[in-house]
Amino acid sequence: MKRLLLLLGLVALSECLYKVPLVRKKSLRQNLIENGLLQDFLAKHNINPASKYFPNEAATELADQPLVNFMDMEYFGTIGIGTPPQEFTVIFDTGSSNLWVPSVYCSSPACSNHNRFNPQKSSTFQSTSQTLSIAYGTGSMTGVLGYDTVQVAGIADTNQIFGLSQTEPGSFLYYSPFDGILGLAYPSIASSGATPVFDNMWNQGLVSQDLFSVYLSSNDQSGSVVMFGGIDSSYYTGNLNWVPLSAEGYWQITVDSITMNGQTIACSGSCQAIVDTGTSLLSGPNNAIANIQSSIGASRNANGQMVVSCSSIQSLPDIVFTINGIQYPLPASAYILKNQQGCTSGFQGMDIPTPSGELWILGDVFIRQYFAVFDRGNNRVGLAPVA
C-alpha cells in the first residue's frame, strides 16, 4: 500500500550533516541539571520553565535534523547507527514506521552502491532472530531485525530496533540517492511490530514534547528540516490549524473537498488523506486525478508523463484543499513542476482502497506549502503556510 514516488538518480552528498552527540539514557533536562548547565541552557534558548502552563505553540527543547533537498523530489538526512556510528542517508518518512538500512548481509545490486551496516563493527549491536519484509509502491526489501544506538538529530537513541536488509530487489533502490528509510508513522503499521524511532525517543525521555515538525524547502533550496520535540514558529506564518486524525496508523485526516474556482473538482462529500513526507507528488484515486489533470490542461506524453505548458503557471487558478473547515490553496507554481525538459503535473493517480474509502496522499507537493506538525500526544496534525 505504501508508495514512494521518487525520482531515480544518484547524488553525492557534499557534506556530512550528522553530528555525533553524547550517548545518554537520561533526559536532556536531567543531564543538564547534573552538570550544572540547566540555567545556562534555558537562558540561551529563551525557554520559560513555566511555559507548559500556557497553551502556546513555542518550542521548548528542539532537536533539529537537517535534510538535503534532492531536486524537489526527495528529502533525506544523515543518521549514524552503531558504536562507533556508521553513517547512512535516510528518507524521514511519515508514511511508514520502520527504520531500515542496507547491510553487509545483502548481495542485491541496490546494496552494492550504498552504505551497508556491518554489525561486527559496532560494539553495541544486538542481533535477533526476527525477520522483516516491507513492500513499497516502487521498491521492497527483506531482512533481519537488530538493536543498536541510532544517532539522529543530535540525539543518541539507544536500544533502537531496526532492519538490516538482505535483499533489495529491482532497480528502484539501486538508483535511489538515499540508503534507507526512517519511518515516522504510528507503531500500528510497523512491520514485524518494530518500535519506531520517534516512539523509542519519547519512551526514553529524549524529547520534551510528544511531537515533531517538518519544513520542506522549495526550488532545490537548503534549509529543510525535521524538528523532534518541538515547533519553531519562524518557519510559518499565522497560526497553526489543528486537524484531528481520522485513523492512527498513517497520519490520516479527513479532507472536506478539493475545489478550483469555487467548483468541486474532486473529493466531493469528503475523502481520506495521509500527510506523507515520503511521497514526492500529490496522489489520489485515478478517476479523481484524471479530472484534475483535465482541469489543468495536462496530457500524457510518449514517456508517460503528464505534461503541462509552462506558460499556464501564470494563468491557472489555485487548487484548494479544504481541511477541517480551513482552506489550503495550492497555487499553480506548487502543483506544476518545472525542470529542464519542461513542466509536469504534480498530481499522480493511484487507487489505494481502505475501509474508509479511497486514500489521497498529501505528499511533498503539498507539504512544501504548509509547515506540518505531527502531534503524537494529541493525535492530530498542525498545518500553517510556510514563511
Side-chain angles (χ1 to χ4, degrees), residues 21-150:
L22 295 175
V23 175
R24 63 189 181 203
K25 296 183 179 179
K26 301 174 184 177
S27 71
L28 173 60
R29 179 176 292 273
Q30 186 61 37
N31 276 330
L32 290 170
I33 290 173
E34 291 180 1
N35 289 280
L37 300 173
L38 179 60
Q39 294 306 315
D40 288 344
F41 180 89
L42 294 176
K44 177 181 177 182
H45 294 273
N46 194 28
I47 295 171
N48 177 2
S51 63
K52 67 179 182 179
Y53 298 109
F54 301 96
N56 59 36
E57 295 155 357
T60 51
E61 299 160 8
L62 270 177
D64 288 355
Q65 171 64 56
L67 303 178
V68 170
N69 178 346
F70 177 65
M71 301 176 67
D72 275 6
M73 295 299 292
E74 289 311 325
Y75 297 83
F76 46 82
T78 304
I79 65 171
I81 303 179
T83 307
Q86 300 173 44
E87 292 183 352
F88 301 91
T89 55
V90 294
I91 296 286
F92 284 77
D93 180 21
T94 60
S96 68
S97 297
N98 289 84
L99 168 62
W100 68 267
V101 295
S103 80
V104 293
Y105 306 138
C106 178
S107 57
S108 299
C111 297
S112 65
N113 63 350
H114 288 87
N115 293 329
R116 294 188 291 177
F117 181 75
N118 187 343
Q120 294 183 342
K121 293 184 177 181
S122 172
S123 62
T124 46
F125 177 78
Q126 300 176 53
S127 63
T128 79
S129 58
Q130 292 178 274
T131 59
L132 179 69
S133 178
I134 307 176
Y136 301 98
T138 47
S140 64
M141 63 80 66
T142 64
V144 294
L145 289 166
Y147 289 86
D148 213 328
T149 297
V150 175

Side-chain angles (χ1 to χ4, degrees), residues 13-19 78 87:
L13 295 177
S14 60
E15 59 181 346
C16 175
L17 297 175
Y18 166 66
K19 298 179 181 178
T78 304
E87 292 183 352

Side-chain angles (χ1 to χ4, degrees), residues 292-312:
I292 292 178
Q293 305 286 34
S294 176
S295 299
I296 65 175
S299 59
R300 194 176 303 276
N301 66 8
N303 296 323
Q305 293 179 306
M306 298 302 295
V307 297
V308 186
S309 169
C310 292
S311 61
S312 65

Side-chain angles (χ1 to χ4, degrees), residues 238-312:
N239 297 317
L240 283 167
N241 296 307
W242 293 104
V243 185
L245 296 188
S246 53
E248 297 162 19
Y250 299 100
W251 289 92
Q252 184 172 329
I253 59 177
T254 299
V255 175
D256 303 334
S257 64
I258 302 173
T259 58
M260 177 187 282
N261 289 326
Q263 302 296 313
T264 300
I265 58 172
C267 188
S268 177
S270 83
C271 54
Q272 294 298 298
I274 62 174
V275 185
D276 186 359
T277 58
T279 293
S280 303
L281 306 181
L282 205 158
S283 175
N286 282 307
N287 289 339
I289 293 296
N291 192 38
I292 292 178
Q293 305 286 34
S294 176
S295 299
I296 65 175
S299 59
R300 194 176 303 276
N301 66 8
N303 296 323
Q305 293 179 306
M306 298 302 295
V307 297
V308 186
S309 169
C310 292
S311 61
S312 65

